Amino acid sequence: MKSLRISALFLLLLQILPIQSCIAKSNHLFIDKDGIQTIKSKTLSISVDSSFPRIIQYNWTANESVFYGQEDKISQVKINGKLYTPETTFSLIKNEAHYTLDIPEIKVTVKIQIKVVDNIVEFNVTQIAEKGDFKVSTFEIPNHNLLSVRSTQKGASFAGAKMFTNVKGSGDVFEPLTATVKKDSIAKGYLYGILNNDQLAASIWSNSTGEKNDDDRVLKQTTKKEDYSRIAIWNGSWIYRAKGMKTPDPLPVVKVVITNDINNDKKVDWQDGAIAFRSIMNNPLGSEKIPNLVVQRIPMNFASQATNPFTKTLDETKRIFLNTDGLGQYVILKGYGSEGHDSKHPDYGDIGKRQGGAKDMEMLCKQAIKYNALMGVHINGTESYPEATAFDDSLVNKTKKGWDWLDPSYYINKRYDGTSNNRMLRLKSLKDQVPSLGFIYCDVWYDKGSWDSKKLGREIHSLGLMLTTEFPNDHEYDAVWNHWAVDYDYGGKDIKGFNSQIVRFIRNHQKDTWIGRHPLLGGAEMKDFEGWQGRNNFDDCIKMTFATDLPTKYLQHFPILNWEESGITLDKNVTVKMVSDKRIITKDGRTVLNGDTYLLPWNPLTEEKLYHWNASGGTTTWELPESWKKLKTIVLYKLSDQGREFVQELEVKNGQIELNAEPNIPYVLYKTKTASQPAMVWGEGTFIKDPGFNSGNLKNWTVEGSGFSVVRNKIGQYELEMNGTGAATVSQTLSGLSAGTYYASVYVATSGNRRAYLGIKDFGGQEVSTYATNSLWKNYIAADSKHDTNLQRMYVYFKVPQGQTTAKLFLHADAGTETVVFDDIRVVPIKQESKPLDIFFTENFENIPDGIYPFIKGPAGGVNDPRIHLSEIHAPYTQKGWNGKLIDDVLNGNWSVKAHSEEVGLLFQTIPQTVRFKPGKTYTVTFKYQSSGADYALVNGDGIKNNLSIVIDEATTTKTLSFSFIASENGNSWFGIEKINDKESDFVLDDLVIIEK
Ligand SMILES: [Ca+2]
Ligand SMILES: [Ca+2]
Ligand SMILES: [Ca+2]
């Protein structure tokens, strides 16, 4: 540092200048009489005021053109909303301007550095020293005018973007500066702002934010001066120490970038400023992954059903891998925790045991990376449910109810959750258990770009996790993907994506947040198949991936350089334009996409293979990429969920190929014949090989008898079908077992009394099996891939003795003429409690494999996401008396079955494959219950008929209900609980005991 002494002459000057107590001095530097100093790079020199941190003017070295800053004297800072005039000391250190701003009345000193690097000016607050009791919460330099243009400059113009989320309209403001332009009485807030004249364009980026939003990230004001009108931009207030925080935020910083015609289109406009802005902006963690995340998936678990256990999701990841030849996948595990969706949130570390627990989840996330899939989780940081361990009177406001699904939720005090560090610890607990997790999707945040949003972003990023969110207006700064933008037909059209040409220009390659279906750029979209919104068609997902997402993602590999009405030019010589209502994409002048058919190089930068898609099918001719033209032949493969299938070698003629394709079928072309994908290990991490029959064959099974085959159904699921009339069995040896109790389950459908068995033998105990005879009961679980069929799970329990590691699992169909279908076998260790010999059936719901065993969901509400689940105790919040609760959610132990504000109709019932009532026998069914209204009835049925219905009294303390019946001759007896009116009430059941006589 140069030693500094006060010059007597300068002090004299100060007294006659209309400035505050400026103390600027230097031994070696010339300071002109106005105290103006110059610092510079090779590209840019700037004049700064030595009496206060103010940039007056920027000079572009190459042609001496000028960009203005703040020509007016300013001398004040605003701290915690109050104006102060600091005593300023100035020094130049190695071509950097350094200011020390002393504010004696509050004993605060702020140090600021301004430096020029190439075409960028950094304005850094390097220290905020609080020497007394006063604490700085906000810091601002009013009217800072870091950049300005004048009406006397040709082409002077402002372009700014505000948050705007409707599919119609835009958040962009383009304001050419004329002498008659309307002035702004106060500064207007924007998220992004660019100024330009006909020589230079410029923009600013800062880390400023507000308490409630970041709408004032960039402030813009049009004013009238004596000789010209002026538009200026600078940044809004910084939060240094948020309310409730003991530690400060990162120090304030703002950067300015100046550019000439950087896109070489012979004019300077906002688009040059937008390109230059990329060199100063924040790049949200994971934004570089976005162009490669082509396939969009949401496996959904809800209402204890665990219809998408982690191991199944890994198998589906492999199917997509094969069908897309390894395209990147973005997968939100919605319902990874507790009983699914966001139940028990914000206990982020409570990984659902029915879904497979932490071990299976880490296995999924880690293995998925091998298949180019990024796994993340859906979390709720806005609402908490009473069963959460984190739920207490500090976390929530019990007078503010939030979303009510499986249980009512309450709004979280986010500031408390952030400042207490509790949220960070809960996020860390998840990450510690699942180190291979890729991202966190934050649902329903509703907090825009507030300080709380920024804090959450920092927490998540500090764990190395990418952040994505539901709405484009939450976390604009940190999030790279928004559900409502990508799920085009879901949610309203008023909150869809970030509707801004300016911001899409800047960040199209970094985010999936835009309004989809843009005629030129397209937009990422999802048509997933794993239960979210009840969607379950695998082939629809493939179609969306290739028809919409691959072209979108191809373009996202190239930042936008020029955007005209007629077309867009992107980096690396890529263009997209409309020709006679058809989109044409070119690379190096050659067409790679023509309407709904394409030959897209992939990876788009390295071009080692080419994807072909033709929506209507037929023959097309394509010019090959430069590096492919000299080849004599290239190799065409057809893609399916079994991987690459060789079609033919194609002759290259004059650098071109002719292709014949089936409609809506993906193809991939390689330069040489390429080994087929390695055989997939289906059922990885489970005890069973190929539990979902995804290999398409029975190679993993021993087959006895004939008639069994693996069939791909209409929605792209492989199932085991018995179409023969004789008896037959398929079996396989489970290995890796250890001493303990297990269950095995399988989805099954049969009819006409043809018995379909699941059994376990050769495990050191007596063979166990269960069977179905008539699948009369429809699957009403929307998040179940088998919904709208009559496939339901059946279970057998078995106990492996010490020293035994293997067992034989078998599926068997008796002789018969009806078709039998099996799918999705699970074998999982589970705790079992012994039951007395004289008891026919008992269940206390403490250790349920999945679903609400022995019940299935009934027809009430149709196929939906039901509001019946296994309720977990967290006294006093889940129990009667807390906050006016009328009944207990849990009657005995830690778990009960709870139906919450359900629809009218049969809510749940047993079926013979879960509780088989033998014809002619008498059964006494007993259970404990509480009910907050006399709105329920006990139903005893036979097949799809209800024989008996008994209204159950309201019970706000635990009561016991007992009834007896004689099982029907056809073997289809069951019992269940019905909701008899549409009043809002809850019903809780536990300690089911059935005695046979
Ligand atoms: Ca230009
Ligand atoms: Ca299957
Ligand atoms: Ca219980």
Side-chain angles (χ1 to χ4, degrees):
M1 177 184 279
K2 292 184 172 92
S3 69
L4 301 170
R5 302 216 173 276
I6 294 167
S7 136
L9 174 66
F10 191 74
L11 278 179
L12 188 69
L13 274 172
L14 281 179
Q15 287 166 24
I16 56 171
L17 286 170
I19 51 172
Q20 307 296 329
S21 52
C22 163
I23 309 166
K25 62 271 164 158
S26 165
N27 273 351
H28 307 285
L29 299 164
F30 174 75
I31 298 178
D32 74 10
K33 70 175 170 51
D34 294 324
I36 294 170
Q37 263 293 351
T38 299
I39 54 175
K40 60 188 175 188
S41 69
K42 277 185 184 158
T43 318
L44 199 64
S45 72
I46 68 167
S47 353
V48 298
D49 179 358
S50 58
S51 69
F52 188 83
R54 166 174 73 104
I55 300 166
I56 299 159
Q57 190 172 308
Y58 306 77
N59 286 64
W60 189 256
T61 311
N63 62 1
E64 296 191 336
S65 49
V66 166
F67 218 94
Y68 294 111
Q70 173 57 292
E71 69 267 38
D72 302 335
K73 277 277 177 195
I74 51 170
S75 58
Q76 291 189 304
V77 296
K78 198 185 250 184
I79 293 179
N80 301 2
K82 199 176 159 204
L83 288 167
Y84 295 94
T85 305
E87 293 168 9
T88 303
T89 316
F90 175 81
S91 63
L92 269 183
I93 303 165
K94 290 183 185 166
N95 197 33
E96 294 170 7
H98 287 256
Y99 299 83
T100 300
L101 280 60
D102 276 314
I103 307 161
E105 59 263 56
I106 50 174
K107 295 198 173 107
V108 167
T109 300
V110 178
K111 290 190 176 173
I112 289 170
Q113 168 210 51
I114 302 176
K115 63 177 179 182
V116 189
V117 181
D118 298 327
N119 61 334
I120 293 167
V121 179
E122 290 183 23
F123 185 103
N124 299 313
V125 175
T126 56
Q127 191 188 23
I128 295 178
E130 298 153 324
K131 294 165 183 164
D133 297 333
F134 187 93
K135 297 290 178 201
V136 175
S137 20
T138 61
F139 179 73
E140 183 181 351
I141 302 177
N143 305 312
H144 202 196
N145 291 23
L146 284 164
L147 289 168
S148 63
V149 288
R150 299 178 183 176
S151 54
T152 48
Q153 293 179 301
K154 266 192 193 160
S157 196
F158 166 75
K162 296 169 191 263
M163 180 48 69
F164 188 90
T165 58
N166 200 303
V167 292
K168 290 206 173 86
S170 166
D172 291 346
V173 172
F174 296 98
E175 190 180 302
L177 179 57
T178 59
T180 55
V181 77
K182 215 169 130 243
K183 67 174 191 178
D184 300 315
S185 54
I186 54 162
K188 300 272 167 58
Y190 288 84
L191 288 172
Y192 296 81
I194 300 164
L195 289 174
N196 72 280
N197 55 45
D198 70 343
Q199 295 291 310
L200 297 171
S203 185
I204 62 168
W205 168 89
S206 92
N207 62 352
S208 68
T209 194
E211 276 282 339
K212 301 279 179 213
N213 57 57
D214 55 355
D215 293 349
D216 292 339
R217 218 189 272 166
V218 173
L219 293 174
K220 166 257 173 186
Q221 191 167 20
T222 307
T223 47
K224 293 216 162 138
K225 305 290 288 180
E226 206 163 302
D227 300 325
Y228 50 83
S229 290
R230 174 180 78 187
I231 304 179
I233 59 173
W234 66 101
N235 63 285
S237 178
W238 284 283
I239 292 180
Y240 177 64
R241 185 184 282 96
K243 288 190 187 83
M245 279 298 282
K246 290 192 183 73
T247 51
D249 273 17
L251 285 161
V253 56
V254 53
K255 292 180 186 181
V256 176
V257 66
I258 313 265
T259 185
N260 57 0
D261 176 19
I262 196 170
N263 65 0
N264 285 315
D265 67 348
K266 310 246 170 2
K267 63 175 190 232
V268 172
D269 60 12
W270 67 266
Q271 300 193 1
D272 298 298
I275 294 166
F277 178 79
R278 291 180 191 139
S279 60
I280 55 169
M281 68 184 181
N282 62 305
N283 297 298
L285 192 144
S287 52
E288 77 288 351
K289 292 192 168 80
I290 287 292
N292 281 315
L293 297 175
V294 185
V295 186
Q296 314 270 320
R297 292 168 51 203
I298 304 184
M300 167 82 164
N301 282 302
F302 191 60
S304 304
Q305 296 290 331
T307 48
N308 289 289
F310 301 125
T311 49
K312 182 176 199 284
T313 299
L314 181 57
D315 274 358
E316 297 301 343
T317 301
K318 293 174 180 178
R319 297 184 68 207
I320 292 285
F321 175 86
L322 289 174
N323 213 145
T324 63
D325 206 41
L327 289 174
Q329 304 181 43
Y330 169 85
V331 187
I332 302 178
L333 305 173
K334 204 183 265 290
Y336 77 98
S338 179
E339 302 311 298
H341 192 254
D342 58 359
S343 62
K344 209 182 178 182
H345 280 233
D347 282 10
Y348 308 134
D350 190 297
I351 296 163
K353 60 181 176 183
R354 288 174 246 286
Q355 295 89 313
K359 189 168 140 280
D360 281 6
M361 187 171 167
E362 169 57 14
M363 193 274 307
L364 161 65
C365 295
K366 190 173 177 187
Q367 296 308 108
I369 294 165
K370 291 185 190 165
Y371 302 96
N372 205 12
L374 190 68
M375 296 282 152
V377 292
H378 162 128
I379 68 159
N380 189 340
T382 301
E383 298 152 323
S384 176
Y385 295 89
E387 71 267 39
T389 311
F391 187 98
D392 62 22
D393 293 323
S394 303
L395 183 74
V396 301
N397 181 340
K398 66 181 183 184
T399 67
K400 285 195 176 160
K401 279 196 181 178
W403 177 245
D404 187 335
W405 210 0
L406 292 176
D407 299 298
S409 70
Y410 295 83
Y411 279 109
I412 286 175
N413 180 340
K414 281 184 193 157
R415 188 55 60 96
Y416 165 80
D417 207 19
T419 57
S420 64
N421 206 39
N422 291 346
R423 183 177 62 211
M424 180 64 201
L425 292 174
R426 296 193 312 268
L427 290 166
K428 191 170 176 304
S429 157
L430 169 62
K431 175 72 177 171
D432 287 347
Q433 294 176 77
V434 190
S436 302
L437 191 69
F439 67 91
I440 284 184
Y441 162 80
C442 182
D443 205 46
V444 294
W445 181 253
Y446 302 134
D447 237 316
K448 302 190 174 121
S450 65
W451 180 85
D452 294 289
S453 304
K454 282 267 186 91
K455 176 75 163 62
L456 179 68
R458 284 202 294 273
E459 290 167 7
I460 289 171
H461 288 164
S462 77
L463 295 167
L465 296 166
M466 185 168 102
L467 171 63
T468 70
T469 61
E470 182 164 20
F471 306 113
N473 48 353
D474 287 341
H475 292 109
E476 195 281 334
Y477 189 84
D478 289 309
V480 295
W481 184 96
N482 300 117
H483 185 193
W484 282 38
V486 169
D487 208 345
Y488 194 86
D489 293 322
Y490 176 72
K493 292 286 180 271
D494 53 339
I495 308 178
K496 184 89 317 227
F498 191 175
N499 200 339
S500 162
Q501 185 193 7
I502 294 170
V503 187
R504 191 162 192 183
F505 185 107
I506 295 168
R507 295 189 189 270
N508 183 59
H509 57 296
Q510 290 197 317
K511 294 185 176 211
D512 287 328
T513 186
W514 323 111
I515 305 288
R517 304 185 185 175
H518 188 276
L520 294 172
L521 297 170
E525 280 192 58
M526 67 192 330
K527 197 62 146 277
D528 44 325
F529 63 99
E530 291 155 281
W532 168 247
Q533 297 294 300
R535 298 190 283 242
N536 62 354
N537 189 326
F538 178 89
D539 296 330
D540 284 351
C541 177
I542 294 298
K543 190 174 170 192
M544 180 62 88
T545 297
F546 283 97
T548 300
D549 291 317
L550 197 69
T552 297
K553 295 287 169 179
Y554 180 83
L555 291 174
Q556 281 184 320
H557 276 78
F558 308 98
I560 295 173
L561 298 180
N562 187 289
W563 187 334
E564 305 290 337
E565 195 69 31
S566 56
I568 297 175
T569 305
L570 303 97
D571 199 18
K572 305 256 195 293
N573 211 8
V574 172
T575 72
V576 53
K577 56 181 183 288
M578 297 300 286
V579 178
S580 325
D581 287 341
K582 224 162 62 168
R583 179 166 65 157
I584 308 286
I585 299 177
T586 67
K587 170 90 171 86
D588 302 325
R590 132 189 89 70
T591 299
V592 294
L593 178 143
N594 182 355
D596 54 10
T597 174
Y598 58 70
L599 188 69
L600 284 175
W602 206 266
N603 168 306
L605 301 170
T606 48
E607 303 193 333
E608 60 269 24
K609 61 185 175 184
L610 311 169
Y611 281 102
H612 178 58
W613 176 262
N614 188 338
S616 38
T619 303
T620 47
T621 305
W622 301 88
E623 193 182 341
L624 290 168
E626 234 21 75
S627 65
W628 289 62
K629 279 185 175 168
K630 289 198 179 113
L631 299 166
K632 289 202 170 67
T633 57
I634 60 175
V635 191
L636 176 69
Y637 297 90
K638 186 174 163 179
L639 292 173
S640 75
D641 58 17
Q642 297 301 314
R644 289 191 292 261
E645 182 198 340
F646 173 76
V647 179
Q648 64 178 123
E649 289 200 5
L650 295 167
E651 210 180 323
V652 179
K653 288 182 199 160
N654 305 321
Q656 293 188 328
I657 51 154
E658 195 179 85
L659 273 170
N660 186 25
E662 290 174 43
N664 292 322
I665 294 288
Y667 294 83
V668 65
L669 296 100
Y670 279 84
K671 288 180 180 174
T672 54
K673 208 155 183 194
T674 305
S676 49
Q677 296 283 11
M680 289 295 146
V681 177
W682 302 108
E684 191 172 2
T686 74
F687 298 104
I688 190 145
K689 294 180 211 76
D690 201 9
F693 304 97
N694 293 318
S695 65
N697 61 55
L698 284 169
K699 281 182 189 155
N700 291 297
W701 298 83
T702 302
V703 182
E704 295 163 68
S706 64
F708 269 123
S709 63
V710 176
V711 174
R712 197 178 193 273
N713 72 15
K714 290 199 299 277
I715 52 174
Q717 303 167 352
Y718 289 97
E719 295 174 328
L720 177 65
E721 263 191 36
M722 160 50 88
N723 284 307
T725 52
T729 306
V730 301
S731 63
Q732 75 167 260
T733 300
L734 311 175
S735 57
L737 301 170
S738 52
T741 48
Y742 291 79
Y743 79 89
S745 71
V746 67
Y747 283 83
V748 61
T750 182
S751 55
N753 284 318
R754 186 174 194 181
R755 286 193 184 187
Y757 287 86
L758 163 68
I760 304 284
K761 59 183 183 182
D762 303 342
F763 64 94
Q766 196 171 7
E767 176 177 320
V768 288
S769 69
T770 187
Y771 65 90
T773 54
N774 289 292
S775 298
L776 301 170
W777 302 275
K778 181 165 144 179
N779 184 322
Y780 287 103
I781 303 292
D784 193 325
S785 66
K786 305 300 183 190
H787 70 71
D788 283 306
T789 73
N790 285 9
L791 282 149
Q792 300 277 4
R793 285 176 283 211
M794 62 180 172
Y795 302 80
V796 289
Y797 289 81
F798 60 104
K799 186 175 180 182
V800 174
Q802 278 298 339
Q804 179 77 27
T805 60
T806 58
K808 187 166 273 186
L809 179 143
F810 63 90
L811 302 170
H812 172 85
D814 275 357
T817 54
E818 309 290 337
T819 299
V820 175
V821 181
F822 292 106
D823 202 359
D824 288 334
I825 302 152
R826 275 191 101 183
V827 177
V828 179
I830 196 154
K831 215 176 130 191
Q832 270 179 264
E833 288 169 34
S834 57
K835 70 175 166 85
L837 284 173
D838 57 340
I839 304 284
F840 174 73
F841 183 92
T842 177
E843 184 54 68
N844 61 12
F845 304 98
E846 301 300 305
N847 302 290
I848 295 295
D850 42 39
I852 47 172
Y853 176 86
F855 302 112
I856 61 160
K857 174 181 157 20
V863 173
N864 69 4
D865 295 314
R867 303 176 73 170
I868 308 160
H869 76 301
L870 297 167
S871 52
E872 187 176 8
I873 198 160
H874 182 222
Y877 310 105
T878 55
Q879 303 303 90
K880 179 181 172 178
W882 182 78
N883 208 22
K885 257 182 76 61
L886 297 171
I887 61 168
D888 295 322
D889 283 355
V890 180
L891 309 185
N892 196 10
N894 294 317
W895 299 88
S896 298
V897 177
K898 176 184 177 186
H900 172 58
S901 288
E902 261 293 359
E903 309 266 349
V904 177
L906 184 62
L907 298 178
F908 55 85
Q909 65 170 107
T910 64
I911 52 175
Q913 68 206 55
T914 58
V915 185
R916 183 171 309 283
F917 297 112
K918 295 169 207 148
K921 293 267 188 186
T922 300
Y923 293 91
T924 303
V925 174
T926 305
F927 55 81
K928 294 192 181 121
Y929 73 98
Q930 290 188 23
S931 176
S932 63
D935 309 323
Y936 301 84
L938 174 82
V939 179
N940 181 214
D942 180 13
I944 49 171
K945 276 204 326 274
N946 301 359
N947 288 340
L948 170 80
S949 184
I950 309 165
V951 175
I952 302 171
D953 291 341
E954 177 185 284
T956 56
T957 55
T958 301
K959 286 188 181 171
T960 301
L961 191 150
S962 196
F963 82 105
S964 299
F965 69 97
I966 298 166
S968 75
E969 286 305 322
N970 61 30
N972 293 328
S973 285
W974 52 266
F975 75 94
I977 301 293
E978 182 184 9
K979 181 95 186 294
I980 56 174
N981 62 46
D982 60 2
K983 288 186 192 150
E984 288 207 354
S985 64
D986 292 354
F987 182 85
V988 180
L989 182 152
D990 206 342
D991 290 342
L992 171 65
V993 178
I994 304 173
I995 290 168
E996 180 186 271
K997 276 193 195 125

